[in-house]
């Protein structure tokens, strides 16, 4: 985390510059305020430099590229877009005093995608008379082939929760319509000293007696209990609970209901019931329950066990959701996951999807581990349908203070028209493939996270592409997309330790709206949605403006700054060599070839991503034998070429 008392030093051309982290954070955080500098301010800075007698060449090496994205607009040469650090700090202070405003968050136009089959219409735990068929899931680019993972090393920890002493099971209270117990309000990352969420009784054990006015649900067969009333708090007594027999038996909550488990309360689907909670009611709370064994092995593809229908304003907290087929949880708008253990589910720990696109999600203090046990990418190559968690067309998400470890595919995957994401303070480790994938999406901050040993499984099996801890694919910042973080896509303040590769910024030359190479074939870009559409981004229009620009998802305005990259190839094994993409940061595309009517053939996109889309690495610290890939996939450049030819990693330090 940034600390105002910590200092960052860079020694360049005989100068040593020390800048408090807190000052740099104010400078770079558009989520805190937008700093607006007039040309008059720039003239003032120029005058100070001139009066000080410092030549342009003398200050060139001291310039902060990480500050240039905020101080000057346009695509000028890097040397003309930097500001001397002490003067930059003063200018920042002046701008703050003059007034700055927070970036507003807005709701974009969601694009419906394929939808899991609906839950049964019954409001209690009885089977529906006939099944419905599932539709296909959203697809993505070719995914990894997962295998088992190593055990994570020491990780951040979460705050203790009091553990109540179990008492004798109470009888139901007489009041038929009590108010539900309010759900916990997430206040930020939870710290648990000395332990994980999963298996941590101090976090996951619920109240030993029912809250006032609650209805007690005895352990055993709950099929005779009406669990669908609105505005009711249900307390599940310790022990194993089951639903009615039948694939489609589930709990369909009423609006405003709460379901709270006592210590050791388990809701078990026995691999008979497909889902535990479904329906469309809002404002539902599920707390302190273990929910397990729902769905047939290998079944429930793209379905969810908890909140099956992606209903809105659900809070799922302090619960263990494990060993289920499909996704452990589906997320709809205004849903919250807080201090949960999402473990060893067959497809995802969670899947954020709804027909209109979820908005305003909060995921804080969860442990998301060991998911994709069915190994979906091996069974359905290229499905892009696995991982610790998947986001699809989500408008605004806070993903903070989570452990995302040991998943048998990608850790966190934001796929197709996501925007306004804050991914901060997470520990992301030992995932088989990429730690984070942000794909054909917009406007995010990935800050203050720790990435350890991600991609080691996938990397050794995919020599054609560096498997990175953070993989940005056709994604960047665009102010035309109405969300926060729309000026700069920021990757900052992170620590990278012994991942297969670090940060890869990629844009496929062949992928655009209307292209057969776009695997999200039902979706188009968000930058000009009334003009650039699936029907207009075609062979007749694509070479002309605005279609030429607006039909592409672009890796643009990405700033990778103030990160620490540590790399010891021995930790990845003997297969970790530069020849197969181990140990890289990169900024590149590929030679465009497809489709035949594409105007992006040849080196067009390679030139755009490296020269004119404002993508920058800067002020990073490297330790170990790092390699760099630039321009075209497979082109390895030296550190000197990375700096001089591509203008990358200005004011960064490369150590042995």
């Amino acid at each position: 985390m940034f600390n105002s008392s910590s200092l960052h030093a860079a020694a360049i051309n005989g100068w040593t510059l020390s800048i408090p982290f807190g000052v740099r954070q104010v400078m770079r955080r558009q989520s805190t305020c937008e700093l607006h500098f007039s040309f008059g301010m720039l003239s003032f800075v120029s005058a100070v430099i001139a009066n000080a007698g410092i030549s342009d060449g003398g200050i060139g090496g001291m310039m902060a590229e990480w500050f240039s994205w905020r101080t000057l607009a346009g695509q000028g040469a890097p040397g003309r877009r930097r500001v001397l650090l002490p003067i930059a700090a003063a200018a920042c202070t002046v701008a703050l005093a003059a007034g700055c405003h927070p970036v507003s968050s807005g709701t974009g136009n969601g694009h419906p995608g394929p939808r899991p089959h609906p839950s049964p219409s019954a409001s209690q735990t009885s089977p529906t008379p006939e099944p419905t068929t599932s539709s296909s899931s959203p697809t993505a680019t070719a995914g990894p082939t997962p295998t088992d993972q190593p055990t994570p090393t020491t990780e951040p920890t979460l705050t203790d929760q009091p553990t109540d002493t179990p008492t004798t099971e109470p009888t139901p209270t007489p009041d038929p319509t009590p108010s539900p117990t309010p759900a916990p309000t997430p206040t930020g990352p939870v710290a648990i000293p000395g332990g994980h969420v999963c298996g941590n009784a101090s976090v996951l054990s619920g109240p030993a007696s029912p809250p006032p006015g609650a209805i007690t649900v005895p352990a055993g067969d709950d099929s005779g209990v009406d669990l669908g009333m609105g505005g009711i708090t249900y307390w599940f007594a310790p022990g194993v609970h089951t639903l009615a027999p039948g694939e489609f038996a589930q709990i369909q909550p009423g609006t405003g209901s709460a379901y709270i488990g006592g210590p050791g309360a388990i809701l078990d689907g026995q691999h008979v019931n497909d889902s535990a909670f479904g329906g469309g009611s809002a404002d539902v709370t599920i707390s302190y329950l273990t929910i397990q064994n729902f769905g047939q092995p290998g079944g429930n593809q793209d379905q969810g066990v908890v909140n099956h229908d992606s209903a809105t304003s659900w809070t799922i907290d302090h619960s263990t959701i494990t060993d289920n087929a499909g996704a452990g949880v589906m997320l709809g708008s205004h849903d919250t996951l807080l201090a949960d253990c999402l473990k060893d589910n067959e497809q995802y720990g969670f899947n954020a999807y709804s027909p209109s696109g979820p908005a305003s999600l909060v995921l804080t203090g969860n442990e998301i581990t060991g998911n994709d046990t069915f190994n979906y990418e091996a069974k359905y190559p290229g499905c892009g349908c696995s991982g610790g968690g998947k986001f699809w067309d989500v408008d605004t998400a806070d993903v903070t203070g989570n452990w995302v470890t040991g998943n048998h595919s990608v850790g966190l995957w934001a796929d197709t028209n996501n925007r306004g994401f804050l991914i901060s303070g997470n520990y992301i480790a030992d995932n088989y493939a990429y730690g984070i994938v942000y794909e054909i999406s917009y406007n995010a901050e990935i800050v203050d996270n720790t990435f350890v040993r991600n991609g080691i499984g996938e990397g050794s099996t995919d020599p054609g592409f560096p498997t990175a801890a953070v993989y940005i694919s056709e994604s960047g910042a665009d102010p035309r997309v109405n969300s926060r973080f729309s000026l700069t896509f920021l990757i900052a303040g992170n620590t990278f330790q012994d991942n297969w590769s670090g940060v890869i910024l990629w844009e496929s030359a062949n992928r655009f709206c209307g292209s057969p190479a776009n695997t999200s074939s039902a979706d188009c870009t968000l930058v000009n949605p009334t003009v650039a559409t699936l029907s207009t981004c075609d062979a007749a229009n694509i070479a002309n403006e605005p279609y030429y620009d607006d039909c592409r998802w672009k890796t643009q305005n990405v700033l990778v700054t103030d990160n620490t990259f540590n790399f010891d190839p021995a930790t990845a094994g003997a297969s970790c060599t530069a020849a197969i993409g181990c140990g890289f940061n990169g900024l590149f595309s590929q030679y465009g070839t497809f489709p035949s009517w594409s105007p992006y053939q040849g080196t067009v996109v390679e030139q755009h991503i490296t020269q004119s889309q404002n993508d920058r690495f800067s002020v990073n610290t490297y330790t170990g034998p790092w390699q760099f890939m630039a321009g075209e996939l497979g082109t390895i450049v030296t550190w000197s070429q990375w700096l001089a030819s591509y203008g990358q990693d200005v004011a960064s330090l490369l150590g042995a």
Side-chain angles (χ1 to χ4, degrees):
M1 300 294 292
F2 287 95
N3 187 320
S4 59
S5 64
S6 300
L7 297 179
H8 176 77
I12 304 170
N13 293 341
W15 292 78
T16 299
L17 305 177
S18 296
I19 309 97
F21 274 149
V23 172
R24 285 157 44 228
Q25 184 179 17
V26 169
M27 290 178 178
R28 67 175 177 81
R29 282 291 182 90
Q30 73 181 64
S31 59
T32 304
C33 68
E34 293 294 335
L35 306 181
H36 296 276
F37 290 80
S38 67
F39 285 106
M41 176 59 68
L42 297 178
S43 299
F44 165 76
V45 172
S46 300
V48 172
I49 292 173
N51 291 335
I54 303 173
S55 68
D56 182 71
I59 65 171
M62 300 167 55
M63 300 309 180
E65 180 70 18
W66 54 268
F67 191 61
S68 68
W69 62 268
R70 186 62 70 203
T71 56
L72 289 175
Q75 303 292 339
R80 297 185 180 276
R81 298 172 59 235
R82 305 171 190 150
V83 178
L84 191 62
L85 288 170
I87 300 173
C92 179
T93 303
V94 172
L96 287 169
C100 59
H101 64 86
V103 177
S104 61
S105 172
T107 302
N109 296 321
H111 294 273
R115 180 69 182 110
H117 70 253
S119 297
S121 58
S123 62
Q124 44 189 310
T125 58
S126 58
T128 53
E130 59 186 57
T132 57
T133 58
S134 63
S135 57
S136 60
S137 66
T139 58
T141 52
T145 305
T147 60
D148 291 335
Q149 298 302 304
T151 303
T153 55
T154 305
E155 302 165 357
T157 54
L158 303 173
T159 53
D160 289 338
Q161 299 280 343
T163 302
D164 295 312
T165 304
T167 60
T168 305
E169 177 180 315
T171 56
T173 55
D175 184 358
T177 57
S179 300
T181 301
T185 301
T187 56
V190 182
I192 305 175
H196 294 247
V197 179
C198 296
N200 191 334
S202 67
V203 177
L204 298 171
S205 290
S209 58
I215 291 177
T216 295
V217 182
D221 180 1
D222 294 338
S223 60
V225 181
D226 184 355
L227 297 170
M229 294 185 287
I232 301 293
T233 295
Y234 297 92
W235 182 77
F236 287 69
V240 177
H241 298 249
T242 60
L243 305 180
E247 180 180 359
F248 302 104
Q250 62 178 215
I251 298 170
Q252 292 209 343
T255 299
S257 289
Y259 301 82
I260 300 173
I266 298 170
L267 183 59
D268 196 319
Q270 306 175 92
H271 295 300
V272 172
N273 314 119
D274 279 351
S275 58
F277 292 88
S281 295
D283 300 311
V284 171
T285 300
I286 298 169
S287 307
Y288 299 107
L289 278 171
T290 293
I291 300 168
Q292 66 185 29
N293 298 331
F294 283 84
Q296 294 287 329
N300 267 8
Q301 183 175 357
D302 303 311
Q303 312 297 308
V305 168
V306 177
N307 196 13
H308 178 275
D309 298 283
S310 302
T312 63
S313 301
W314 284 41
T315 296
I316 301 153
D317 67 274
H318 301 90
S319 293
T320 298
I321 301 169
T322 185
D323 293 319
N324 299 291
V329 181
M330 296 293 290
L331 295 176
S333 291
H334 308 288
D335 286 353
T336 295
L337 290 179
L338 175 66
D340 294 305
C341 168
L342 307 181
K343 181 175 184 289
D344 297 338
N345 297 288
E346 285 194 346
Q347 189 173 11
Y348 303 109
F350 67 87
N351 187 6
Y353 171 78
S354 68
S356 59
S360 302
L361 303 182
V362 175
L363 295 86
T364 295
N366 305 286
E367 185 170 1
I368 303 164
T369 185
N371 297 287
D372 187 33
T373 59
F374 191 65
N375 204 349
Y376 266 87
E377 305 294 340
K379 293 179 173 65
Y380 305 101
C383 73
C385 60
S386 63
K390 190 75 174 279
F391 300 92
W392 182 273
D393 189 20
V394 173
D395 181 357
T396 307
D398 288 345
V399 184
T400 59
N402 303 285
W403 287 353
V404 184
T405 65
N407 295 287
H408 304 295
S409 180
V410 176
L412 299 173
W413 195 336
D415 185 358
T416 306
N417 288 341
N418 300 281
R419 59 268 190 208
F421 271 53
L422 174 65
I423 303 174
S424 178
N426 303 285
Y427 182 85
I428 301 174
D430 294 304
N431 296 290
Y432 179 87
Y434 306 92
I436 291 176
V437 175
Y438 206 83
E439 180 179 1
I440 60 169
S441 293
Y442 304 91
N443 304 354
E445 282 194 355
I446 301 173
V447 295
D448 300 325
N449 303 284
T450 300
F451 298 90
V452 181
R453 296 184 308 274
N454 295 285
I456 292 175
E458 166 79 2
S460 61
T461 66
D462 184 14
F465 198 97
T467 303
V470 176
Y471 174 33
I472 307 303
S473 178
E474 299 91 22
S475 297
D478 196 312
R480 294 175 295 174
V481 176
N482 186 19
S483 79
R484 59 186 178 174
F485 314 136
S486 64
L487 295 182
T488 298
F489 190 116
L490 188 62
I491 302 171
N494 303 289
T495 297
F496 295 84
Q497 183 72 45
D498 297 330
N499 300 279
W500 186 264
S501 281
V503 174
I504 296 298
L505 308 184
W506 157 261
E507 183 178 327
S508 172
N510 299 332
R511 190 175 192 183
F512 51 91
C513 176
S515 169
N518 177 29
T519 51
S520 297
S521 57
D523 294 271
C524 198
T525 59
L526 298 182
V527 295
N528 194 357
T530 62
V531 175
T533 66
L534 288 170
S535 61
T536 61
C537 293
D538 58 9
N541 295 318
I542 195 69
N544 303 312
E545 293 293 359
Y547 308 101
Y548 182 84
D549 282 314
D550 293 351
C551 293
R552 289 197 65 85
W553 290 273
K554 295 181 180 181
T555 300
Q556 64 179 11
N557 301 319
V558 180
L559 179 62
V560 183
T561 188
D562 194 30
N563 301 286
T564 299
F565 294 97
N566 299 320
F567 176 57
D568 178 1
T571 62
S575 62
C576 176
T577 64
I580 60 171
C582 191
F584 280 87
N585 277 358
L587 173 65
F588 53 88
S589 180
Q590 90 276 45
Y591 193 88
T593 60
F594 181 79
S596 61
W597 45 271
S598 169
Y600 315 109
Q601 295 190 26
T603 63
V604 170
V605 178
E606 294 174 6
Q607 294 174 14
H608 286 171
I609 191 173
T610 57
Q611 298 177 17
S612 62
Q613 292 182 181
N614 195 32
D615 296 315
R616 288 287 179 266
F617 289 75
S618 69
V619 198
N620 298 299
T621 301
Y622 294 90
T623 303
W626 283 93
Q627 303 276 342
F628 301 90
M629 190 173 291
E632 183 168 316
L633 173 62
T635 300
I636 300 174
V637 300
T638 66
W639 173 252
S640 296
Q641 290 171 322
W642 179 247
L643 269 69
S645 300
Y646 293 95
Q648 299 302 325
D649 270 314
V650 172
S652 294
L653 298 177
L654 179 65

